[in-house]
Structure formats: C-alpha cells, structure tokens
Amino acid sequence: MIHGEIHQNVRQYINGRWETSATTGVSVNPSDTSEVVAEYARADRRQADIAIRAATEAFAHWSHSTPQRRADVLDRIGAELLARKDDLGLLLAREEGKTLPEAVAEVARAGQVFKFFAGEAIRGGAGSGGGENLASVRAGVQIDVTREPVGVVGVITPWNSPFVIPAWKIAPALAHGNSVVFKPAELVPACGWALAEIISRAALPAGTFNLLMGSGREVGQALVDSPLVDALSFTGSAANGERVLQAVGLRRAKVQLETGGKNALVVLADADLDRAVDCAVQGAYFSAGQRCTASSRLIVESAVHDAFVAKLRQRLKALTIGHALERGVDIGPVADEERLAQNLAWVGIARNEGAEHVWGGEALERATTGHYMSPALFLAKPAHRIAREEIFGPLACVLRADDYDEALALCNDTPFGLCAGICTNSLKHAMHFRRHAVVGMTMVNLPTAGVDFHVPFGGRKGSGYGPREQGRHAAEFYTTVKTGYMLA
Ligand code: TXE
C-alpha cells in the first residue's frame, strides 16, 4: 500500500503566523485506519476571537486593494493547486477516502475555481466596476450603483469535499475584497491546512486570511456568535445549518447555507437504459455516495422498471470496492467509523420498513482495516424513510412511477431541493422537467453529481438558504450594493 508522510505541523494560521494550540487531534486514513495522516492543533474559542479580530483589522486594508492585486493573489493560489493536484489529491484520498482519480480531479477543480475568481476580481467584484450608471428621473442627477465588500467572512465547510467547497467560498470572498476566517471539518484537518498553507504564501497582508481547525461546537460556534463576523457561509448538515441560520440571522449578519439533498434521478421508458444505469451508478454511488448532489432516489417508469433494476444490480455487482489509493478501485471506504455504522443502520431500517433488498449493504473486509461497505440498492415506497431522509452514503432506492406526471410528482415530493435529473429521449418531457422540477439544478441524461465550477451552485427548500454559490452569482453574497446620487 502507498503510505504517505504524517503531517505534523498542522497548526492554526492566525494573523499571518502559524500557531499551536493547547490540545491536538489526529486524522487517520479511512482505507487503512492503522495509518495516521495528520496530528493537528485544535483551536479554542480564545484563538478564534484573535483570528476574527485580525480579520477585522485586515479588512480595512484588503477592501481597498486594487482589483489587479486581488487577481494576482488568487491566480497564484489557483496555479499552485493545479500544479500540485497529484500530491494534494493523494493527501485528499488518504484523509477522506475518495478514490485517487476523484481526489485529483477535486483539487484541480479547486485550482480552476481560484483562477475563475481571479478574473472576477477584475471583471465585476467590489470596487472594480460590477455596477452600473443610470440617468435619474430628476434633472441633473447622476446615479451609480456599486458593489462593496461585506467585511469579515466566516467560512465553515464539511468533510466530503475538503478542497473544492472551501475554494468556492474563500476565492470569491477574497476576490470581492473581504477578509476570511476559515474553519474546515475536523475529519480533514490536513486538507484544510494544505490549502491554507498555499494561501499563506500568496502575499496576502497578515490577517486577511486565517485558518482555525477545531470543533464546530466551539470554533464554529465562535464564528457564528461573533458580532465582528459580517457574513457566514456554511455547508454541512441540515440540522447544523438550521442552528447557524437562526444564530447569524438573529444578529442580522449575512448567512448562506448549503445543506443536504435527497436528489431524484427520473428514468422514463424512452430513455437509453444503459446510459440511465451509468448515470445512476455515478450519481448515487461514486465518492461512496458522500455528495450532497448524489441521486439517492431513482424514480423509474413502470415499463422499464424491472429491466433497469436488473441492469443496475449487475453493474453494482461488478464494482470494485477497495483502498482509495489502489488503481482500478471504483468506490473507496466511507469517511469514518461513525458514517459506516450510520449507513449500515440505514440498511437495517430499509429492511425493517419493508423495502425490498436488491443488492449490497454489508460491511466488507479488505487487506487493510478500513470503513468498507458494498453499495446498497432497495426497492422502496415513497413513504419509506430511505426515500425521504438524507443518508449521505452508498445507499439508493428505486421508486416505481406509472408515467412522467407521477415521476415528476414523486421527484418534487421531498423537503429538499438541491438537484434532480431525468433520463429521456423526449424533448417535451426534458423541457417540461427542467421547468417544473423544484430544485436549484437540473440535469438531462447526466448524473446529478458533477457540476461546472463557473455557474451557480445551490438548491431550494431544505437544501439551501441565501444567494447561490459559484460563478458570477457569488457576488450576491460576498458584496453589498450601494446606490449613489449626485447633483452634477
Ligand atoms: O456536516 P456537519 P458534515 C451536507 C451533507 C451532509 C453533511 C456532511 O448533506 O449532511 O454536509 O458534512 C461545523 N456551529 N453537505 O458531516 O456535521 C463542522 O465542524 C458552527 C451539503 O461535515 O454539519 C463542520 O466544519 N459550525 C452540501 C461543518 O459545520 C458547526 C455539500 C459541517 O459539519 C456546528 C456537502 C455549529 N454548531 C455536504 N456544528 C450542499 N448541499 O451543497 C458543526 N459545525
């Protein structure tokens, strides 16, 4: 097995300096739990307050930096991420457990996100245009609408995409002239630190970017509670998102949530069945189903239901589950022991509530001790818990629909609204679906997981709150609008 180094200097980055903390933690490799990936410093509330104050002081300077200066910093970070995608991808696969090709692709996408926002700093960020000049209805009065940075931005991210989700928050925050305090998930400290280490060498003024590794309860909460944090972008579970929304909203700071999904892939009778099965396998099971855009509900028109299930079962049977760093592995381990236990508990719930077991759902032994399980597939009813609640693991269910109308109704029958896909050769149904699926993103003849980095990302209902992330739309959250009137 490939064993990498133990990262031992994984420390906080506060006001331009690397700091240790009173307590430390370790992260281990979910493919081989005997392998320590990092020993990291665990920040406390005191360090969080120091970082927030540093970001506040740095904002005064950074918010008046030139667009070119901001663009140069972001371009430099993006270039290094792209240049080092293989070694950072190795670290990501070691610490989170997604396969090496998936991990390398994620780091590359993080680099592309930083490069995209280098352009945004020039094109349309705060203080650099991105506004408009209008004639007033009053004689002699000029109007200009401009965008200004919001201030100190708190960034709190989940463990499942530890490079690209922080990238699509930190890059626009800096591009639009804000300062940042970043708190990654505790499961992936070395990934958060590796990204911060690159940012620390990009010639940002001290305090403009800060890294705090530590618990959500203590360090995350400090960002939520501090009156000096002007905006908070959170990606994580719906439950924690609710808590963040209430606390940050109450103190009238800006808040943006990306929280969960129970995404549907609809397969109509006229679909190319092999392509539909490919979309289902990729969307539901790759990255061990640990993606908010995963298609955990497969809604299949009756006429092709049995043929689809048979083909999908065959594909699942042929998948290789193994060590994330091994060549030819389709699905790595799930991220930690707790997630494995939760996923297996969901298999039990499915059986107990009467869902019909089709394939998988058991823990697997491999040459190294890790959190391995076979991808699970059940035939379910719409009222079953596995068809309603987010599982965030390699478990999907098939729901039968008599026709397109019933399939659309089932697709929308969920408290979430992140994304939805449809496999069909009917232009009429594809166009109707794109307009009537109550989600933030739709896919036609594509997996629901896998999006571009330069267009809006996000959902409705329980899947998101506030402006969309990514692309030009990111300016909505990371800037505030000002209207100026002048009598010439
Ligand atoms: O979430 P958690 P996880 C969702 C996905 C799944 C979850 C997995 O649907 O439910 O994220 O990520 C910090 N105050 N999405 O398990 O536990 C915590 O330390 C402040 C949706 O990590 O909620 C971590 O840094 N912070 C998404 C972060 O919150 C707190 C895409 C998330 O932790 C906190 C990816 C608190 N009280 C995953 N408690 C989408 N829809 O786009 C915890 N944290």
Side-chain angles (χ1 to χ4, degrees), residues 13-17 47-62 152 179-181 205-210 228:
Y13 185 64
I14 299 174
N15 202 16
R17 286 190 304 276
Q47 285 182 303
D49 291 339
I50 294 170
I52 293 167
R53 275 203 300 279
T56 306
E57 280 147 37
F59 173 70
H61 178 71
W62 185 246
V152 173
S179 54
V180 173
V181 183
T208 309
F209 170 83
N210 302 273
L228 297 177

Side-chain angles (χ1 to χ4, degrees), residues 156-160 183 221 234-237 240 260 292 390 392:
I156 299 178
T157 53
W159 49 263
N160 66 313
K183 193 210 87 66
Q221 196 64 49
F234 172 90
T235 295
S237 57
N240 286 324
C292 54
E390 182 181 57
F392 213 64

